[in-house]
Amino acid sequence: MATRTRGYALRADISAPTSRVWTALTEPVLLARWLGVDPRIQPRQGGHFSVTLAPGLARQATIDIFDPPRRLRLIYLPPPSLPALDAAVVDDFLIGWEDESTVVRVLCSGVPDNDAWTAHFSQTRGTMERAMARLRVLVEQQGRIASMDGKS
């Protein structure tokens, strides 16, 4: 019998070009400012992605889809402290342009819907909600700074 899974969807509307948002998703220096500690990324399909979102919440993934500046899909390795799974935990970052803003959607799926995974799911979701807000602020502030410097 297959394990039931759960996920979540998050959205951030960012007043900046998609290229600037993409850079924030794929540059370690910027990832550290909005997502977590010690980010590492090999920005290519089949590359590696890792970051510590919060103390005790390290995430390691393979980059399944790398389509600049539209899509980044990460398939996570299960944390060693949790039971193995027969599904894949995925974060799919979808980036588009709507109403003069970049829209970033994060679709998380494949998290087992059982007691062993509940704390991990709750912590990851809450951390990602806050991270998306920081992403918006970071990218929009970069735009304001670039405008003041005469760069865009």
Side-chain angles (χ1 to χ4, degrees):
M1 180 158 120
T3 302
R4 290 185 51 182
T5 62
R6 57 188 153 181
Y8 55 83
L10 303 173
R11 175 182 169 137
D13 293 69
I14 302 172
S15 297
T18 56
S19 60
R20 193 174 303 142
V21 174
W22 182 260
T23 299
L25 291 174
T26 58
E27 290 291 329
V29 170
L30 296 175
L31 281 165
R33 294 185 60 197
W34 71 270
L35 184 59
V37 179
D38 195 26
R40 297 169 195 256
I41 184 171
Q42 296 170 325
R44 61 177 172 76
Q45 186 169 347
H48 181 75
F49 179 92
S50 67
V51 66
T52 300
L53 297 178
L57 189 56
R59 301 193 81 195
Q60 294 186 21
T62 298
I63 299 173
D64 179 49
I65 295 176
F66 188 81
D67 183 17
R70 293 184 291 271
R71 189 170 181 197
L72 176 67
R73 185 166 68 186
L74 306 173
I75 299 178
Y76 290 99
L77 302 171
S81 61
L82 292 171
L85 24 121
D86 42 337
V89 175
V90 174
D91 274 347
D92 206 348
F93 291 82
L94 305 170
I95 299 113
W97 185 255
E98 293 178 23
D99 300 323
E100 299 188 30
S101 293
T102 297
V103 176
V104 180
R105 291 176 177 87
V106 178
L107 306 177
C108 172
S109 62
V111 180
D113 190 8
N114 61 43
D115 291 342
W117 281 81
T118 296
H120 177 82
F121 175 76
S122 296
Q123 187 178 21
T124 301
R125 180 179 180 163
T127 301
M128 285 301 294
E129 287 171 349
R130 292 184 297 279
M132 292 290 285
R134 287 191 303 270
L135 172 64
R136 183 184 58 76
V137 169
L138 170 69
V139 174
E140 288 179 354
Q141 282 180 346
Q142 284 181 319
R144 285 191 288 277
I145 291 167
S147 296
M148 289 188 298
D149 290 343
K151 304 171 192 166
S152 198

